[in-house]
Amino acid sequence: MWDPDKYLDFADLRGRPFFDLTGRIRAERPRRVVDLGCGPGNLTLALAARWPQAALEASDSSPEMVAAARAAGVAAQRLDVRDWRPQADTDVVVSNAVLQWVPEHRELLRRWAKELPRGAWLAVQMPGNFDAPSHRLVREVAAGPAWAARLDGLALRGDGTVDAPRDYAELLADAGCEVDAWETTYVQRLRGADAVLEWISGTALRPIRNALEEADWQRFRGELAPRLRAAYPVRADGSTWFEFRRVFAVARTGAD
């Protein structure tokens, strides 16, 4: 279960990669703009404002996120991204921080590039920090004696979840696209107590939160928190630096 309020705790920082991604889309008057994994809808509204003439299609697999998006004024639908198929007038597709949850996302990208009309834009962004201390420590705690049996089989992402930008450039170029691929490491200044723990509670820790009752969830957090504090020390002013790598690819179909 996703918690839209927790996800929006860091809305400005979470939104920056979205705007860096969509800033590279050069569509002028797209007929249909699609947001796959729209979350609570706050960023989908930016797509609607940029291309007000376009039909806007938004979806998310989480019923909580869909409800939040609808409350924000986005006509979102509940849909697994793996089941999405482009309509004939789809000119822009955005998938922001979604495909890291989908092991077969490489095949999805190939299929979308083939099914989209010629000249359509496909823009994706995925976290690429699964070997960072924040994620390694989660896996270490989950593998400990208190949790291993209960959390076995959860999708705790590690190395290999997301490829390097060149790999996506190769994949999309082989699918006949013009491609712009890159990575950015954001050095984010977080504030508040256990700021990194609060950040990952809205994303990476979601499978664990869903698997545990409230008391056990608080125990897990209590075991993880001091390890994160050691890996991400608090500055004298109370803030914490958190490095976050992101992988981007923007492709235009039918380049060949």
Side-chain angles (χ1 to χ4, degrees):
M1 181 176 68
W2 282 94
D3 183 344
D5 292 332
K6 174 61 67 177
Y7 188 82
L8 288 170
D9 279 348
F10 300 95
D12 182 58
L13 293 175
R14 294 195 196 280
R16 183 179 173 186
F18 172 89
F19 291 106
D20 288 349
L21 174 71
T22 57
R24 298 295 295 164
I25 301 172
R26 298 192 297 275
E28 294 184 1
R29 291 189 61 83
R31 295 166 296 172
R32 176 175 298 272
V33 174
V34 179
D35 188 359
L36 297 175
C38 65
N42 56 311
L43 298 175
T44 313
L45 293 173
L47 299 177
R50 179 175 174 181
W51 293 297
Q53 82 291 340
L56 184 64
E57 180 182 331
S59 61
D60 201 284
S61 63
S62 163
E64 294 80 16
M65 288 296 197
V66 168
R70 290 176 178 173
V74 176
Q77 300 296 318
R78 187 180 180 189
L79 180 71
D80 189 313
V81 69
R82 289 167 288 199
D83 297 328
W84 178 77
R85 297 274 180 168
Q87 296 191 43
D89 62 347
T90 302
D91 290 327
V92 173
V93 180
V94 177
S95 177
N96 182 62
V98 174
L99 294 182
Q100 74 275 10
W101 297 104
V102 183
E104 62 271 37
H105 70 263
R106 299 160 189 85
E107 183 52 41
L108 282 185
L109 291 173
R110 292 186 186 95
R111 175 164 66 79
W112 294 345
K114 180 180 179 181
E115 293 178 347
L116 285 166
R118 185 179 181 86
W121 293 85
L122 172 59
V124 300
Q125 180 272 124
M126 292 169 277
N129 64 331
F130 297 99
D131 264 1
S134 55
H135 287 64
R136 289 202 313 268
L137 292 171
V138 170
R139 295 194 296 270
E140 288 177 12
V141 174
W147 308 106
R150 301 176 62 184
L151 300 178
D152 182 49
L154 289 186
L156 302 180
R157 273 39 183 178
D159 189 31
T161 299
V162 171
D163 297 333
R166 177 167 176 168
D167 296 315
Y168 294 110
E170 291 278 5
L171 182 156
L172 290 163
D174 287 346
C177 298
E178 176 187 344
V179 190
D180 180 10
W182 72 98
E183 66 177 72
T184 299
T185 296
Y186 298 92
V187 183
Q188 301 178 157
R189 197 171 197 172
L190 306 184
R191 300 186 182 276
D194 290 320
V196 174
L197 176 61
E198 295 303 324
W199 174 280
I200 65 174
S201 290
T203 52
L205 285 176
R206 181 179 64 89
I208 293 174
R209 176 65 186 93
N210 292 345
L212 298 176
E213 298 294 335
E214 180 63 26
D216 289 332
W217 164 239
Q218 294 303 329
R219 284 179 53 221
F220 187 93
R221 280 172 53 97
E223 189 173 338
L224 177 61
R227 302 187 188 204
L228 290 173
R229 290 185 209 118
Y232 300 94
V234 177
R235 290 166 40 87
D237 64 0
S239 65
T240 303
W241 294 120
F242 181 48
E243 295 183 45
F244 202 117
R245 175 177 175 261
R246 304 272 186 161
V247 174
F248 301 79
V250 175
R252 193 174 191 194
T253 62
D256 294 345

